[in-house]
């Protein structure tokens, strides 16, 4: 019998998802305090820990709430259906996007901890993208070439062409690695949709607002109208090969 690529298990109040294409076997200790942390920071509404696990470099994100509700509960969510939890939905969306060949982190494991029958908290573990930094970090140090801005536009068009909606597309959720390859991060509340210029335009405008905001926050931030024009040019060029463009 063929071994499953993905496995769901239960242990006490915890439910787990495992990617057996990456892990040799399920291991709940993966979510415990790590002995080999590489880095800890924040990403979106979650706390991120980068760590080693055997030969793997991984990223664990603990889901945290945003907005006013965070003052009531930082990390507790309502709901008892696993399929509707954020960690389960993001794990399966990333799995689907990897299968489509889109540049996203590979999902490794997810955990949902039931606090009561109707409340839970959770975590997601993905493969780390090596030798990379966020677009925001890159632009604080050096500009992107016109070629790379156009390349980013093409990458975003690839996601849109396949109906991928990113709920928080901003400069901190885009990675650029040492080989000048772009990746999108943090698909919390993301989904597959029917391609349509209305939400695609809103998606790109959200990214533009984040770049302009960072430009206003930092004394040096390499972003200009010409850069955004180059990104749009790359997006439109990809549209000529099948993407719905703006």
């Amino acid at each position: 019998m063929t071994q499953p690529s993905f496995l769901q298990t239960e242990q006490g109040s915890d439910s787990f998802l495992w990617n057996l294409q990456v892990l040799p076997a399920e291991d709940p200790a993966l979510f415990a305090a790590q002995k080999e942390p590489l880095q800890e920071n924040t990403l979106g509404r979650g706390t991120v820990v980068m760590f080693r696990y055997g030969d793997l470099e991984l990223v664990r994100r603990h889901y945290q709430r945003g907005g006013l509700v965070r003052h009531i509960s930082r990390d507790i969510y309502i709901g008892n259906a696993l399929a509707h939890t954020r960690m389960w939905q993001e794990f399966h969306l990333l799995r689907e996007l990897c299968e489509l060949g889109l540049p996203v982190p590979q999902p490794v494991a997810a955990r949902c901890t039931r606090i009561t029958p109707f409340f839970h908290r959770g975590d997601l573990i993905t493969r780390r993208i090596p030798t990379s930094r966020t677009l925001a970090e890159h632009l604080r140090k050096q500009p992107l070439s016109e070629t790379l801005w156009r390349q980013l536009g093409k990458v975003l068009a690839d996601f849109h062409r396949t109906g991928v909606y990113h709920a928080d597309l901003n400069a901190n959720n885009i990675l650029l690695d040492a080989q000048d390859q772009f990746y999108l991060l943090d698909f919390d509340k993301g989904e597959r949709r029917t391609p349509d210029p209305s939400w695609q335009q809103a998606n790109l405008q959200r990214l533009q607002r984040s770049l302009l905001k960072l430009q206003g926050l930092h004394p040096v931030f390499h972003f200009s109208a010409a850069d955004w024009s180059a990104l749009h040019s790359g997006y439109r060029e990809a549209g000529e090969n099948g993407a719905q463009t703006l």
Side-chain angles (χ1 to χ4, degrees), residues 112-142:
C112 178
T113 301
R114 293 179 296 279
I115 302 168
T116 73
F118 298 102
F119 293 94
H120 65 274
R121 58 167 56 96
D123 307 86
L124 177 71
I125 295 177
T126 58
R127 294 282 295 265
R128 184 187 186 204
I129 307 298
T131 60
S132 63
R133 58 184 175 182
T134 68
L135 178 61
E137 291 170 330
H138 183 97
L139 294 177
R140 288 179 63 182
K141 300 179 186 302
Q142 64 188 89

Side-chain angles (χ1 to χ4, degrees), residues 33-197:
Q34 305 302 326
K35 295 181 179 179
E36 295 185 77
L38 298 172
Q39 183 179 342
E40 181 169 350
N41 55 25
T42 58
L43 175 68
R45 290 184 291 272
T47 299
V48 171
V49 178
M50 302 179 187
F51 64 99
R52 287 190 180 88
Y53 179 79
D55 295 332
L56 298 172
E57 290 192 359
L58 303 176
V59 178
R60 183 178 73 246
R61 186 170 89 246
H62 182 65
Y63 287 81
Q64 294 190 12
R65 308 192 69 152
L68 293 176
V69 72
R70 74 183 188 278
H71 298 298
I72 301 172
S73 172
R74 294 287 302 180
D75 66 348
I76 298 177
Y77 294 83
I78 299 174
N80 60 356
L82 275 175
H84 296 155
T85 62
R86 290 186 174 186
M87 56 285 322
W88 249 240
Q89 290 180 332
E90 186 170 358
F91 181 100
H92 285 299
L93 179 59
L94 288 175
R95 175 182 60 81
E96 187 177 357
L97 300 186
C98 283
E99 291 173 352
L100 291 170
L102 291 170
V104 299
Q106 187 178 24
V108 175
R111 175 178 66 177
C112 178
T113 301
R114 293 179 296 279
I115 302 168
T116 73
F118 298 102
F119 293 94
H120 65 274
R121 58 167 56 96
D123 307 86
L124 177 71
I125 295 177
T126 58
R127 294 282 295 265
R128 184 187 186 204
I129 307 298
T131 60
S132 63
R133 58 184 175 182
T134 68
L135 178 61
E137 291 170 330
H138 183 97
L139 294 177
R140 288 179 63 182
K141 300 179 186 302
Q142 64 188 89
L144 281 184
S145 67
E146 179 183 350
T147 298
L148 283 178
W149 279 111
R150 293 170 77 95
Q151 180 181 320
L152 176 56
K154 291 177 182 179
V155 168
L156 296 176
D158 287 340
F159 279 89
H160 285 175
R161 183 174 60 248
T162 52
V164 180
Y165 169 75
H166 193 295
D168 190 19
L169 186 62
N170 65 64
N172 288 303
N173 287 333
I174 298 173
L175 281 185
L176 179 64
D177 71 9
Q179 288 72 47
D180 288 337
Q181 299 298 310
F182 288 102
Y183 295 82
L184 297 195
L185 307 176
D186 190 3
F187 281 84
D188 182 22
K189 300 176 71 174
E191 62 183 5
R192 297 287 300 282
R193 295 180 173 182
T194 301
D196 184 271

Side-chain angles (χ1 to χ4, degrees), residues 6-27:
F6 299 90
L7 181 67
Q8 181 173 318
T9 63
E10 309 285 334
Q11 186 179 92
S13 61
D14 291 328
S15 298
F16 298 95
L17 274 174
W18 308 103
N19 183 349
L20 299 183
Q21 294 176 324
V22 179
L23 299 170
E26 64 268 25
D27 183 5

